[in-house]
Amino acid sequence: MKPTMRGVMLCAVMVSLANGGESGKIDYPQELSAEKQQTLEWFSESRFGMFIHWGLYSVPAGEYHGKKVDGIGEWIMKRGNIPTEEYEQFAEQFDPVKFDADAWVTLAKDAGMKYMLITTKHHDGFCLWDSPTTDYDVVDRTPDGQDVIKALSKACKKHDIQLCLYYSVLDWHHPDVSYRNRDAKQDFNRYVQTYMKPQLKELLGGEYGMIPMIWFDGFWEEWWKPEMGKEIYDYIKEISPSTIVNDRISSDFPRTIIGDYVTPEQNIPSVPTSNIKVGDFWETVLTMNNTWGYRKDDNSWKSDRELIRTLIEVASRGGNLTLNIGPKADGTIPQPSVDGLNAMGRWLKVNGEAVYGTSHSPIGMMPWGRLTTKGDDKVFLHIFEWPRDRFNMRLEQMSGRKIKRIYLLEQPEKSLEFVRSGMEVRFAVPQPCPDPIATVIAIEFETKRKNK
Ligand code: FHN
């Protein structure tokens, strides 16, 4: 069932796997407010957004004292064992003279993305907004001193893109929770009450506009207890009732999931999985190379074909794709990311109707490609393997419906001739293949007559 068609008693995802490693699951139904339902509907219809990992780690960009530090770029402080005082000094070199909020948002918009999700504070604790709670932020510590979140919120508003915020629970810099400071003076609860909560209020309280999604991360530390997660979930409801919360707020993840939507990372779940049901809200978060935060030596860029087909794959299973960029410290975006996003935008310009506001495939995956549907009168065939002459398809569940028209999305005015016999439909396709990455054919059915 299409998520947006779920009833008023829509449930938040509060799932816990049974003890003892059984694959069964227990649902804890929780009624969602009308505001949250509305945001979830927007989320599901959007299908495609931009993730941005930007922070001090983009200064060393994977290298410390001339030596490579393995792993994802944004983890360099921990993986490279960089002393806090030394890491803090990267702020002086975080000089985004080429940062252009309008250009970033336009890049996302032209790629066909509907939202932008940025790291306000990653695990290193450095804040990308002017936080009154700390001076460890971009305004107080960097030469440019620009509030990045403010600039993006302005640009997003201008270009009609929704700004969403990432916030790391764990913090390697804050003395009350940093793994470097484990001593009796650490007070985890003080961090939650006097640091995390005020900061969330700064971010979600209205200064940066209405934020539809908050995206927590870094929930796995021992000090972070399930009740703290629940407290923060409830706190968000209080300070920003329409904001939906991701599933990474419980310390017991993935055994216990508290949140409104699910966030598989670097993989596309087959739906249903142990914790995603058909009709749940979810987004795959994915890198365009192998790192989230910029590293200068990572050139394993995904091809245009992989990117576009991944978006189709995700949509055909009923989810969103949130694709990451890792800008450099000067504010420029690596060219291969720009090129990949432009290619996706060109494809979506022609075929967006088969992605936005669609539902999952009614018949799973096909050897020739994937399907999405819209309403009860359109099925889109995303064809990866273009047939040499004719296309044969069994209509399966759709067999009872009369076909009105079949056409290519890139040539909507030209109907393709088809022959229908029972469950089968056959039609000739033009040659050569219009788009070897994915050509979309729409099958339009007669809409059901309402009984009088
Ligand atoms: O540790 C982080 C990682 O740096 C990155 O932010 C990703 C993005 O989903 N999340 C965490 C790992 O799950």
Side-chain angles (χ1 to χ4, degrees):
M1 197 199 320
K2 187 172 185 281
T4 52
M5 289 157 72
R6 289 199 294 177
V8 179
M9 288 298 289
L10 199 64
C11 292
V13 184
M14 281 191 82
V15 179
S16 119
L17 299 183
N19 282 335
E22 286 175 29
S23 61
K25 62 181 183 211
I26 307 165
D27 285 6
Y28 296 100
Q30 183 177 301
E31 204 171 323
L32 282 177
S33 62
E35 292 108 307
K36 278 205 183 194
Q37 278 183 57
Q38 224 177 4
T39 312
L40 283 165
E41 282 175 20
W42 157 80
F43 171 72
S44 169
E45 276 165 22
S46 302
R47 283 287 178 254
F48 189 31
M50 176 181 273
F51 209 165
I52 304 174
H53 278 69
W54 202 33
L56 296 190
Y57 40 80
S58 46
V59 173
E63 211 177 282
Y64 175 51
H65 286 325
K67 283 208 181 114
K68 273 189 189 182
V69 177
D70 287 339
I72 39 185
E74 69 283 5
W75 273 70
I76 195 165
M77 178 178 172
K78 189 162 189 193
R79 296 255 164 87
N81 206 14
I82 306 179
T84 307
E85 306 68 41
E86 208 177 318
Y87 189 84
E88 282 177 353
Q89 283 165 25
F90 288 138
E92 285 151 33
Q93 295 164 61
F94 188 82
D95 194 14
V97 283
K98 295 187 182 149
F99 167 57
D100 178 346
D102 260 318
W104 283 21
V105 176
T106 308
L107 175 70
K109 182 138 185 150
D110 291 348
M113 292 162 154
K114 305 291 184 190
Y115 55 92
M116 180 177 262
L117 165 66
I118 181 159
T119 50
T120 59
K121 171 176 88 99
H122 201 265
H123 308 336
D124 65 359
F126 187 72
C127 302
L128 283 191
W129 79 102
D130 187 13
S131 172
T133 314
T134 179
D135 73 343
Y136 195 48
D137 70 40
V138 70
V139 172
D140 295 320
R141 296 277 182 113
T142 70
D144 185 46
Q146 187 179 180
D147 183 327
V148 170
I149 305 302
K150 189 175 270 174
L152 285 175
S153 99
K154 220 168 124 197
C156 280
K157 203 162 170 204
K158 181 166 153 200
H159 297 284
D160 195 25
I161 291 282
Q162 299 296 319
L163 181 67
C164 306
L165 304 178
Y166 168 111
Y167 186 94
S168 171
V169 171
L170 73 81
D171 192 315
W172 298 328
H173 185 266
H174 195 287
D176 268 336
V177 290
S178 168
Y179 69 99
R180 295 202 161 150
N181 261 11
R182 294 279 178 254
D183 62 31
K185 286 195 225 112
Q186 279 201 318
D187 188 335
F188 311 130
N189 192 45
R190 184 168 55 200
Y191 166 78
V192 175
Q193 306 306 332
T194 67
Y195 196 78
M196 200 173 162
K197 279 186 170 179
Q199 287 207 322
L200 290 170
K201 188 100 182 261
E202 291 158 24
L203 292 168
L204 303 178
E207 169 86 15
Y208 301 106
M210 149 57 191
I211 306 295
M213 313 200 284
I214 178 90
W215 213 98
F216 289 105
D217 204 0
F219 47 86
W220 50 78
E221 303 239 310
E222 222 179 285
W223 61 268
W224 180 248
K225 301 291 177 212
E227 36 314 344
M228 291 170 165
K230 185 68 177 45
E231 186 179 336
I232 293 297
Y233 181 84
D234 291 341
Y235 181 65
I236 305 289
K237 222 188 305 179
E238 200 184 301
I239 59 172
S240 184
S242 306
T243 301
I244 52 170
V245 181
N246 72 332
D247 57 345
R248 300 181 183 212
I249 191 73
S250 164
S251 57
D252 204 15
F253 180 88
R255 295 173 65 82
T256 308
I257 300 173
I258 300 175
D260 305 319
Y261 61 101
V262 188
T263 54
E265 180 171 318
Q266 302 285 38
N267 77 80
I268 308 171
S270 34
V271 176
T273 62
S274 57
N275 64 6
I276 299 179
K277 303 187 291 298
V278 174
D280 276 346
F281 300 94
W282 59 273
E283 68 177 325
T284 281
V285 293
L286 194 78
T287 50
M288 296 180 85
N289 50 357
N290 287 330
T291 180
W292 302 93
Y294 177 63
R295 16 179 339 140
K296 52 187 159 209
D297 61 350
D298 187 341
N299 291 308
S300 328
W301 299 99
K302 294 182 175 70
S303 64
D304 297 349
R305 175 186 153 126
E306 196 175 349
L307 293 170
I308 292 167
R309 289 194 177 180
T310 299
L311 175 63
I312 295 169
E313 187 75 66
V314 167
S316 78
R317 297 180 193 199
N320 283 23
L321 177 66
T322 306
L323 191 61
N324 183 74
I325 59 165
K328 301 179 189 177
D330 67 359
T332 53
I333 296 167
Q335 194 55 38
S337 292
V338 174
D339 296 343
L341 292 174
N342 286 339
M344 295 181 89
R346 284 193 296 275
W347 186 86
L348 277 164
K349 211 162 195 180
V350 176
N351 301 297
E353 195 195 337
V355 171
Y356 308 119
T358 57
S359 293
H360 62 89
S361 165
I363 50 173
M365 298 188 260
M366 290 288 121
W368 46 258
R370 302 291 178 266
L371 292 90
T372 51
T373 62
K374 189 167 273 175
D376 64 355
D377 64 337
K378 265 188 195 165
V379 172
F380 299 105
L381 318 179
H382 302 248
I383 302 180
F384 298 165
E385 303 296 331
W386 195 246
R388 267 201 222 115
D389 44 18
R390 304 196 143 260
F391 192 84
N392 280 307
M393 190 188 159
R394 281 183 77 78
L395 292 166
E396 311 281 352
Q397 286 102 315
M398 303 158 272
S399 57
R401 313 282 302 282
K402 199 165 171 236
I403 295 175
K404 202 161 135 192
R405 215 160 82 79
I406 300 182
Y407 54 95
L408 299 183
L409 277 194
E410 66 167 54
Q411 249 184 319
E413 64 294 336
K414 191 166 179 267
S415 298
L416 301 180
E417 304 250 325
F418 63 89
V419 178
R420 170 90 186 256
S421 65
M423 283 242 265
E424 302 240 349
V425 61
R426 270 189 306 145
F427 48 90
V429 290
Q431 300 296 347
C433 167
D435 185 343
I437 292 183
T439 304
V440 180
I441 293 178
I443 305 185
E444 231 176 273
F445 292 90
E446 297 284 355
T447 40
K448 277 184 206 149
R449 283 232 181 89
K450 284 195 185 122
N451 290 333
K452 283 193 179 162

